[in-house]
Amino acid sequence: MWLLFILFQEFYIPIVLGLFAVAALLFVIVGYFAKKKSLIWISGSTLAFLIIGIVAFFILFPTEFPYVDLWVFGKTKEQIIEVYGEPEYNEYRELAYETKWIFLDMFYYVIEFDEDGRAYKMYESTYVGPGG
C-alpha cells in the first residue's frame, strides 16, 4: 500500500494523464466497431495529445516536479532563487529545496554549482551537504 502511495505521490500527473489516455483509447476502439469516424478522430487526437503531454512531463521534469532541470542548468544562484524562492539550504556551491517526505525522510532537490557559479548538476537526495 505504501508503494502505491509513493508511486502516486511521485508520478501523479503522468498517472492521471495515462488514465485519460486509456479512456481515449477505449473510445477509439468503440468508435472503430461502431463505425463512427468522428468519435475515432476526436478520441485519437485526444490520445495523441495526452501521450505528448506524458512525454513532455518526463522531458521537462526528469528529477522533480516543479523544478525544470533544462532551465536550471547553467543558471546562477541568484537567477534560480529569483524563480524558485529561498532554498532550505544555501551553501557555497549548493542549493537545496524541500520536495517531499517519504518514510520520515525529507527529500531535497539539490543543485550543485561549478567554479564559475553556474548550475551543472541537479538531483534528488535525502542528504544535503556537510552536516545536512
Side-chain angles (χ1 to χ4, degrees), residues 3-15 57-58 61-65 99-100 102 107 124:
L3 181 61
L4 290 176
F5 174 74
I6 291 170
L7 285 174
F8 188 76
Q9 181 183 5
E10 185 75 21
F11 300 111
Y12 65 94
I13 292 175
I15 288 172
F57 178 85
F58 285 108
F61 309 107
T63 305
E64 183 65 35
F65 178 80
T99 58
K100 63 185 166 284
I102 296 182
F107 279 73
E124 189 175 33

Side-chain angles (χ1 to χ4, degrees), residues 73-108:
F73 187 79
K75 298 290 190 258
T76 64
K77 277 188 179 185
E78 294 77 22
Q79 292 170 318
I80 294 169
I81 291 172
E82 184 178 314
V83 171
Y84 292 121
E86 283 298 320
E88 181 71 19
Y89 294 97
N90 186 349
E91 297 180 8
Y92 173 65
R93 285 191 155 178
E94 204 170 70
L95 291 179
Y97 291 92
E98 293 180 0
T99 58
K100 63 185 166 284
W101 287 88
I102 296 182
F103 299 119
L104 301 176
D105 287 332
M106 187 66 207
F107 279 73
Y108 297 93

Side-chain angles (χ1 to χ4, degrees), residues 8 12-26 50 54:
F8 188 76
Y12 65 94
I13 292 175
I15 288 172
V16 170
L17 290 177
L19 291 174
F20 282 124
V22 168
L25 179 62
L26 290 175
L50 290 168
I54 292 168

Side-chain angles (χ1 to χ4, degrees), residues 118-129:
R118 300 285 181 173
Y120 77 97
K121 185 176 180 185
M122 291 74 60
Y123 58 94
E124 189 175 33
S125 174
T126 56
Y127 172 75
V128 179

